Amino acid sequence: MSENSCNTKPTNDCEKCGQKMTNAICSTAPEVWKLLDQVKQKNIFKAHQVIFYQDNEPMGLYIISSGLVKLEVTSESGQNHTLRYLGPGSALGYRSLFAHEKYQASAIAIEKTEVCFIPKNTVMEIFQQYPTAALKILESLSKDLRLADEKWTSQMDKDASERIAEALIFLQDHFEHQNWTRKEIAEWAGTTPETVIRTLAQFEADGYIDQSQGRAIRLVNKQKLIEKLTLDR
Amino acid sequence: MSENSCNTKPTNDCEKCGQKMTNAICSTAPEVWKLLDQVKQKNIFKAHQVIFYQDNEPMGLYIISSGLVKLEVTSESGQNHTLRYLGPGSALGYRSLFAHEKYQASAIAIEKTEVCFIPKNTVMEIFQQYPTAALKILESLSKDLRLADEKWTSQMDKDASERIAEALIFLQDHFEHQNWTRKEIAEWAGTTPETVIRTLAQFEADGYIDQSQGRAIRLVNKQKLIEKLTLDR
DNA sequence: TTTTATATATGATCCGGGTCATATATCGAA
DNA sequence: TTCGATATATGACCCGGATCATATATAAAA
């Protein structure tokens, strides 16, 4: 709990935060930082801990200071699907807040993750006062929506191995995290762990990746993998 | 072009519009209507005409006065997928506008459709001036995002006949339009026309629907169809 | 009415990939 | 270092539903 001596108090300084310019809320204006410092609640979650649960009522939103979070839906049949991964600087839980709906997914820390919780009324006040903040969050919601639409269409247009290839590239491009499990890739790519394992074996045989060091997946020839994706079509 | 004698002039009155309270832009405030009246451009599209094309640059957004529009993605392989249907009162083309991206989908009129085009800078001015408008559009974008997420997860969790049943119920619940083709249902439900046809034949045999009058699909026992969906799980 | 384009219907075929069973490897805890 | 839990690996099986071919029905136009 105290490995980071600067961040243990809930009222530490937004001005000193490395994420203060990475999202719509925190980058609004310097005068907002004082407000946020008063109301925000900083928390640390260990790997596999749940930040919020599907079907619960949102009471604010979270900003991720460090770490990695997945948004996971569990269907009635018990299958898990990963909607999005969120890294440092990202806002978390805002879709349900703005839609006035319950959380549609659970937010689970993949690795040790630090978040700032900002209460609902503070969030709304900021958007009332700073229209540019609203336009910025509109932008990121709009991009999320495009990614969600693409997820559905590629579920139909692309076969499992193409989706897995795209997952490898996307996850490597967007996150520091290295230790993706076959199950995590499957739940993100819309397939099963077995299919991921078989496909990775093929990718290794084709010289795209290397799996000889433990469970790690090293992209040996990312460029060739990208070309394969475009040439296939 | 002149079948509707009240709506032929581009500067007709927002105040008299039946949709003036149904979306974030038009319902912002009475004083906005004067501004909109000056800049908006009213257009009528016939069935099958294209309002905007995938990959083109948005120059504003549209409000649907009447009719029905589908947002359709065409993949590299030539397959069409319907992301969303939009009816009267809905805003159209705002996702790409706020994301500062090109249109990801084409907007196609399903039936005769009347739209008001509102230029980009006017839209941005309104959101700058009226924070509540921004919060309202945030709400509808957030709901769109949930629907998109659900579309992806149900593509995996539910089989084709379940998705087709849901499509029938959803489309009937949300739109006046009655003449859905098997192809339209397929592209919305994430399957093929053949599978829709076979499934509808089964639904008819099971007493859920009636197809004896031409090509129309009449929901004979909607409640039983809903029950079937929940009992299956 | 007849014609013609398009939508609907139905059968045959086939395969990607999900599922289940089982074996082995890896990593962290003791 | 050993052990146990969990992740990875691989084979066998099977089925939903896509695809292709072809026939028929429907609606709108001539």
Side-chain angles (χ1 to χ4, degrees), chain A residues 160 191-192 195 198 215:
Chain A
T191 180
T192 60
T195 297
R198 279 182 246 266
R215 293 166 174 168

Side-chain angles (χ1 to χ4, degrees), chain A residues 175-187:
Chain A
F175 304 102
E176 302 289 319
H177 189 83
Q178 291 301 325
N179 312 314
W180 302 100
T181 66
R182 291 17 177 198
K183 184 158 169 277
E184 281 166 346
I185 293 169
E187 291 177 355

Side-chain angles (χ1 to χ4, degrees), chain B residues 110-211:
Chain B
I110 294 296
E111 53 185 41
K112 183 194 161 197
T113 296
E114 247 177 329
V115 299
C116 286
F117 175 79
I118 302 170
K120 180 173 179 166
N121 54 357
T122 304
V123 176
M124 294 308 180
E125 270 169 41
I126 292 172
F127 287 127
Q128 289 279 351
Q129 288 231 255
Y130 300 90
T132 50
L135 286 175
K136 275 194 189 163
I137 202 101
L138 268 175
E139 180 175 343
S140 60
L141 254 172
S142 295
K143 285 176 176 168
D144 285 348
L145 180 54
R146 177 179 51 74
L147 289 171
D149 287 335
E150 285 174 357
K151 217 161 195 216
W152 177 62
T153 54
S154 63
Q155 190 69 32
M156 287 172 290
D157 289 335
K158 302 188 206 298
D159 64 28
S161 81
E162 291 174 304
R163 298 198 307 273
I164 290 163
E166 288 189 327
L168 293 180
I169 293 165
F170 183 91
L171 294 176
Q172 198 210 302
D173 282 353
H174 291 267
F175 305 103
E176 301 290 319
H177 188 83
Q178 291 300 327
N179 312 314
W180 303 100
T181 66
R182 286 36 177 184
K183 184 159 168 279
E184 282 167 346
I185 294 168
E187 291 177 354
W188 163 263
T191 181
T192 60
E194 291 94 327
T195 297
V196 170
I197 288 164
R198 280 182 245 265
T199 304
L200 291 183
Q202 186 58 50
F203 285 173
E204 187 163 34
D206 295 345
Y208 300 130
I209 64 167
D210 175 276
Q211 306 188 89

